[in-house]
Amino acid sequence: MDLLQQVIDKFKLNVLAVENVPQSFSSTVYKIKLIDHRTVYIKIPYSQAKLEREYTVLKRLRNELPVPEMLDYWEGNEDITGALLLSAINGVPITEKVDTTLAYDIGVHHAMLHAIVPNELDFKSPISNVYGQWSEFIKRQFYSFAEDVKEVIDSRLYEQSLKHFDRQLKLLPSPDGPSFIHMDFRPGNILVHENHVAGIIDFESVRIGATEMDFTKINRDIFMKYPGTRDAYQKGYESIRPLIDLQEVLPFYRFTDAFNSIGWCKRRGIEKHQTFLQENLAYLNVFLRKRDS
């Protein structure tokens, strides 16, 4: 019996149709149409840790943010890491151009996440608290990916990257938090309806940490592509909570994101993720060349 069928049987679903969900990089996600014409999603995370984290976070945030409702949960068996059954949100991932109205609303919702103060139970939950050892956490992530990066890029660029990382890490301002950080806050995980944020999805990488790491991907995918969006986002964000000085931290986090992403591509298959690999490699080259000139 295939894995999906096992999960469908576990959740006792009467299925009419199944669709794969593209752009889901570290889990397998299926859109399920039921006989009664309701739509639900089955998510099979990459690991047990991701499953537990997402389960915990969705329960924790359900009254604070527009997130999918947890309809059922299965902790898995020897074949499968487990699965979540999630409600559908009336919205679609951002694929079009982002204007200032939407950027403002993205800012509001991102700040709503960062404004939730972790409590004692959160610190004891499966959500890792990395805030207290923030620079250690960044270092651990970076050097764990470095093992993979080393095999992909030329040695001069690799050495340059390590030097830049060590130098800049010491110059970072004190971290802003502790807050819940999404860690993969990008257009594919922001659902919109009529040019407003309808929901935020994919919480399997969430940590309790410093907010500054959370701006990297929207900077890459929204601010740098669509003029005016960063200011609008900032206004939206600051209507909820103060925003750190992005200029001070974004170059460092954008650099580490590009470096770590190259390692991620190596782990998940270079052929499969060739485009993403090349984008990050190009960024790293240009970034370090500017630093050296």
Side-chain angles (χ1 to χ4, degrees):
M1 186 195 300
D2 77 346
L3 296 181
L4 177 61
Q5 195 54 52
Q6 275 195 60
V7 178
I8 286 170
D9 293 349
K10 271 286 166 206
F11 290 148
K12 300 184 172 62
L13 302 177
N14 296 315
V15 174
L16 187 63
V18 175
E19 272 177 55
N20 274 332
V21 176
Q23 297 294 310
S24 180
F25 296 118
S26 56
S27 299
T28 311
V29 182
Y30 298 98
K31 183 179 182 178
I32 310 284
K33 198 164 191 187
L34 301 175
I35 299 283
D36 64 8
H37 292 282
R38 280 186 311 137
T39 298
V40 292
Y41 286 86
I42 285 177
K43 180 168 188 175
I44 303 171
Y46 195 67
S47 66
Q48 191 74 41
K50 284 178 181 285
L51 175 82
E52 285 178 12
R53 206 180 290 140
E54 179 123 32
Y55 173 74
T56 307
V57 174
L58 287 177
K59 281 206 317 194
R60 172 69 171 89
L61 301 182
R62 64 176 179 234
N63 299 321
E64 314 253 6
L65 272 176
V67 298
E69 190 188 335
M70 176 95 55
L71 303 173
D72 209 342
Y73 167 81
W74 177 44
E75 62 284 335
N77 57 24
E78 55 285 345
D79 295 334
I80 198 164
T81 52
L84 305 168
L85 183 67
L86 305 172
S87 69
I89 287 174
N90 182 21
V92 294
I94 298 172
T95 52
E96 305 289 314
K97 179 178 183 294
V98 173
D99 65 12
T100 51
T101 305
L102 181 54
Y104 181 93
D105 207 32
I106 292 170
V108 168
H109 283 81
H110 205 187
M112 281 161 65
L113 172 66
H114 291 167
I116 299 163
V117 180
N119 61 34
E120 217 168 309
L121 286 175
D122 298 323
F123 288 117
K124 292 177 183 154
S125 77
I127 307 162
S128 317
N129 169 25
V130 293
Y131 180 74
Q133 305 83 39
W134 185 245
S135 55
E136 283 310 304
F137 168 64
I138 301 167
K139 214 182 219 168
R140 203 164 56 239
Q141 260 203 326
F142 184 86
Y143 280 103
S144 124
F145 280 118
E147 301 294 308
D148 303 279
V149 176
K150 195 174 187 173
E151 297 175 37
V152 182
I153 69 176
D154 74 65
S155 56
R156 188 167 159 269
L157 188 62
Y158 178 76
E159 290 307 328
Q160 248 183 312
S161 297
L162 264 49
K163 277 196 190 110
H164 180 76
F165 177 80
D166 286 334
R167 200 167 52 235
Q168 294 302 314
L169 184 66
K170 298 182 181 82
L171 303 175
L172 288 179
S174 57
D176 172 48
S179 291
F180 289 101
I181 53 173
H182 188 286
M183 300 275 293
D184 197 17
F185 196 74
R186 58 184 173 85
N189 289 329
I190 302 166
L191 304 182
V192 293
H193 178 66
E194 293 179 347
N195 209 35
H196 280 85
V197 175
I200 298 167
I201 57 170
D202 197 4
F203 288 88
E204 62 185 41
S205 301
V206 165
R207 303 281 195 285
I208 295 170
T211 63
E212 43 263 44
M213 191 178 256
D214 234 14
F215 304 106
T216 313
K217 292 179 182 177
I218 41 167
N219 176 56
R220 179 189 74 196
D221 298 339
I222 297 178
F223 304 160
M224 289 171 76
K225 283 187 182 165
Y226 309 116
T229 50
R230 182 160 146 185
D231 288 346
Y233 167 92
Q234 184 162 342
K235 286 194 182 89
Y237 191 98
E238 288 180 335
S239 71
I240 304 291
R241 77 186 289 270
L243 180 64
I244 56 164
D245 178 359
L246 291 181
Q247 213 32 60
E248 200 177 1
V249 295
L250 275 178
F252 173 78
Y253 285 103
R254 178 67 188 96
F255 154 75
T256 51
D257 178 60
F259 184 89
N260 294 351
S261 296
I262 293 167
W264 183 90
C265 292
K266 171 75 173 67
R267 283 180 193 179
R268 297 292 173 88
I270 281 179
E271 287 315 307
K272 199 171 156 196
H273 301 288
Q274 191 61 37
T275 314
F276 189 50
L277 174 77
Q278 293 307 329
E279 276 170 24
N280 286 293
L281 196 51
Y283 182 86
L284 202 62
N285 264 304
V286 171
F287 179 82
L288 291 171
R289 214 172 28 245
K290 274 185 191 159
R291 286 286 176 272
D292 276 3
S293 57

